[in-house]
Amino acid sequence: NESDQQQPAKKLKTSAPLQVAPPSSSKTSSNTTKRVIILLDQASIETVKNRRGVFELLNCDDHRDLCRKKLKKDPNDFRPDILHQELLAILDSPLNKAGMLQVYIKTNKGVLIEMNPATRIPRTFKRFSGLMVQLLHKMKIKAGNESTTLLKVIKNPFSQHLPPGTKCFGFSKEGKLYSPVALAKQLFPPTPAEQEVPTCFIVGAMSTGHVRTEDHPYMEEMLSISEYPLSGAAALSRIVGGIEHQWGIV
């Protein structure tokens, strides 16, 4: 929580240094303009101090009793693993490796995080948790011994970080239904070079609920990528896959 950020850094669980992914050799990577922006909204990223005085990432598996008895909240609301799954899905995508993607995270506490697309997210949830705790307390994460900043907390609102003219769309089961290919054809030109301004997608990273228009009044429309309820990671894979198909990124 917010008060945790004032505690000494020596009590943090630290993870191994992050690395920067090697640059792609793809012909599309020469154009560094980010054509697609994704905001992972309402992510459950919150720290808690355990009995040993060490800060941990609050989650439903390790802190079930704490959620119920002390916080008086449903433990199932604390699912930071959802964010982990979503980040792995989109940062591993050919679209990101082609240099076309920019990712932001907004937590359920209103903390806004910018992510370097070259970040290699830890594969295990334990290491990912340590990384998120470190980020919330230190406000930024750098790559090993390098000066490259991989993750950093930035100022709200999110809309001020969008390039002028960016078109924003939210995703919900109740949105207008498209197949991945039809969505990409509707929103994107045949090639990345023809897209003059980025397109932004806002996808939920919470266990229950959905992206809300009142939180993001600049959204033009709510969309859906399947007639079935999908996990955030599955929905993102379909969205990104459609764009890759449209632009011939394999």
Side-chain angles (χ1 to χ4, degrees):
N1 55 38
E2 295 176 358
S3 63
D4 290 344
Q5 297 182 16
Q6 308 301 320
Q7 300 296 331
K10 66 181 180 180
K11 293 289 188 180
L12 299 180
K13 274 190 172 181
T14 57
S15 54
L18 282 185
Q19 296 180 335
V20 179
S24 168
S25 59
S26 168
K27 60 183 180 181
T28 57
S29 64
S30 59
N31 188 337
T32 57
T33 303
K34 300 296 182 257
R35 305 296 184 182
V36 183
I37 298 169
I38 294 179
L39 172 65
L40 304 178
D41 193 32
Q42 295 293 313
S44 178
I45 301 295
E46 191 173 340
T47 62
V48 65
K49 188 187 291 186
N50 66 17
R51 294 175 180 176
R52 301 187 306 277
V54 177
F55 286 106
E56 297 178 333
L57 196 63
L58 189 60
N59 67 84
C60 62
D61 291 326
D62 298 328
H63 310 106
R64 186 165 292 272
D65 290 340
L66 174 68
C67 293
R68 285 177 175 158
K69 295 176 181 177
K70 186 175 180 181
L71 302 179
K72 307 294 184 185
K73 293 182 179 179
D74 184 354
N76 295 321
D77 290 340
F78 298 95
R79 291 283 310 280
D81 57 295
I82 294 174
L83 175 65
H84 186 219
Q85 294 164 10
E86 291 182 349
L87 287 173
L88 289 175
I90 54 180
L91 294 179
D92 278 351
S93 69
L95 184 69
N96 184 54
K97 293 180 179 181
M100 298 289 171
L101 194 59
Q102 176 64 55
V103 179
Y104 294 89
I105 301 162
K106 189 163 188 178
T107 75
N108 54 1
K109 294 290 187 180
V111 179
L112 186 60
I113 299 164
E114 181 181 357
M115 174 166 283
N116 185 323
T119 305
R120 280 181 167 173
I121 287 294
R123 299 289 157 177
T124 67
F125 179 68
K126 185 175 181 179
R127 283 193 59 211
F128 172 76
S129 296
L131 177 70
M132 289 296 104
V133 171
Q134 195 175 349
L135 172 64
L136 290 176
H137 287 255
K138 295 186 175 181
M139 310 299 279
K140 68 171 61 176
I141 299 289
K142 292 190 175 183
N145 296 324
E146 300 180 30
S147 59
T148 305
T149 298
L150 298 180
L151 300 103
K152 63 179 178 180
V153 174
I154 57 177
K155 290 183 178 181
N156 280 297
F158 171 65
S159 56
Q160 75 176 357
H161 301 283
L162 295 174
T166 299
K167 294 184 176 180
C168 246
F169 301 91
F171 279 85
S172 164
K173 174 68 171 60
E174 308 303 322
K176 185 176 180 181
L177 181 62
Y178 286 92
S179 72
V181 172
L183 178 67
K185 285 184 177 179
Q186 177 72 19
L187 299 181
F188 297 94
T191 64
E194 296 176 64
Q195 189 181 10
E196 296 181 356
V197 295
T199 298
C200 174
F201 294 132
I202 301 177
V203 179
M206 70 291 273
S207 59
T208 57
H210 54 83
V211 174
R212 300 181 301 178
T213 306
E214 51 264 37
D215 293 336
H216 307 283
Y218 42 84
M219 291 191 302
E220 296 190 13
E221 191 177 7
M222 294 297 291
L223 307 174
S224 176
I225 201 70
S226 174
E227 59 184 297
Y228 303 103
L230 299 179
S231 68
L236 285 161
S237 293
R238 287 173 67 81
I239 295 166
V240 169
I243 301 169
E244 292 164 353
H245 182 272
Q246 172 78 349
W247 285 345
I249 298 173
V250 293

